[in-house]
Amino acid sequence: FEKENKEYIVVSNLSNTANASLKGAQKITFENYVQAIYMENIIIEANKRLLKMTDGRFELRRKKEAKNIKEKSGLDFSVYDANTGKERDVSTLSGGEKFKASLSLALGLSDVISMYAGGIKTDCLFVDEGFGSLDPESLNQAINILTDLVDTDKLVGIISHVEELESRIDKKIRVQKTKDGSKIKIEA
């Protein structure tokens, strides 16, 4: 019985650890642990662009600890603000800052997929809106990042109503509403 009980304790602790239910330990499931390793790589790639888009102000970080020991942890973000020298929750970012962080994460994810996927490339990126929340300087920074992607043979599609983008985009597909339905017009 003692032998079986010792084995049970080991297996039980391993199960509780993998399922994030071990008392007094960090609440991270095995699945989240593996995902967190990939997330670290995505953040590294995302920060290359986010730092550029924010003139070195913001850097994404993965929260390693939950707010309290009862919550599961491992896949939440925070942002380091170089202006204040403090780390804060991403929910405190403005609309434009959130757009830049989201764009950076999408591009970082694309980079990591390409690195790990053994030859699979993500050749296209579509950005649906979001530009309306950007001030002129932020808009310019975001467009420069997307232009850099086009220069690396990626197709970037932008869906937007922001007029300032028109002069920066060479090829356009305009969708016009008519009484008979929508029509497209291609401008090269």
Side-chain angles (χ1 to χ4, degrees), residues 107-127:
L107 297 173
L109 178 60
S110 171
D111 293 341
V112 170
I113 288 171
S114 295
M115 282 189 270
Y116 284 103
I120 295 175
K121 286 177 48 180
T122 50
D123 295 329
C124 301
L125 173 71
F126 289 90
V127 182

Side-chain angles (χ1 to χ4, degrees), residues 69-80:
I69 199 152
K70 293 181 181 180
E71 292 183 17
K72 292 183 180 178
S73 63
L75 298 177
D76 293 326
F77 292 105
S78 65
V79 65
Y80 173 77

Side-chain angles (χ1 to χ4, degrees), residues 99 103 123-129 131 143 146 149-150 154-160 165 169 171-173:
F99 176 80
L103 178 60
D123 295 329
C124 301
L125 173 71
F126 289 90
V127 182
D128 187 3
E129 295 297 342
F131 294 95
I143 293 301
L146 294 173
L149 286 177
V150 172
K154 287 193 187 279
L155 172 67
V156 178
I158 298 174
I159 302 153
S160 181
L165 287 174
I169 298 173
K171 299 172 187 167
K172 303 173 189 84
I173 300 174

Side-chain angles (χ1 to χ4, degrees), residues 6-18:
K6 285 181 183 178
E7 285 183 33
Y8 169 77
I9 290 171
V10 170
V11 172
S12 176
N13 283 340
L14 182 59
S15 173
N16 288 336
T17 300

Side-chain angles (χ1 to χ4, degrees), residues 146-185:
L146 294 173
T147 301
D148 289 347
L149 286 177
V150 172
D151 293 341
T152 62
D153 294 330
K154 287 193 187 279
L155 172 67
V156 178
I158 298 174
I159 302 153
S160 181
H161 296 96
V162 176
E163 292 180 24
E164 294 90 65
L165 287 174
E166 282 193 48
S167 63
R168 302 279 305 267
I169 298 173
D170 298 333
K171 299 172 187 167
K172 303 173 189 84
I173 300 174
R174 294 190 185 271
V175 179
Q176 298 171 330
K177 291 182 184 178
T178 68
K179 292 179 182 177
D180 301 323
S182 296
K183 302 217 187 250
I184 64 167
K185 179 180 176 187

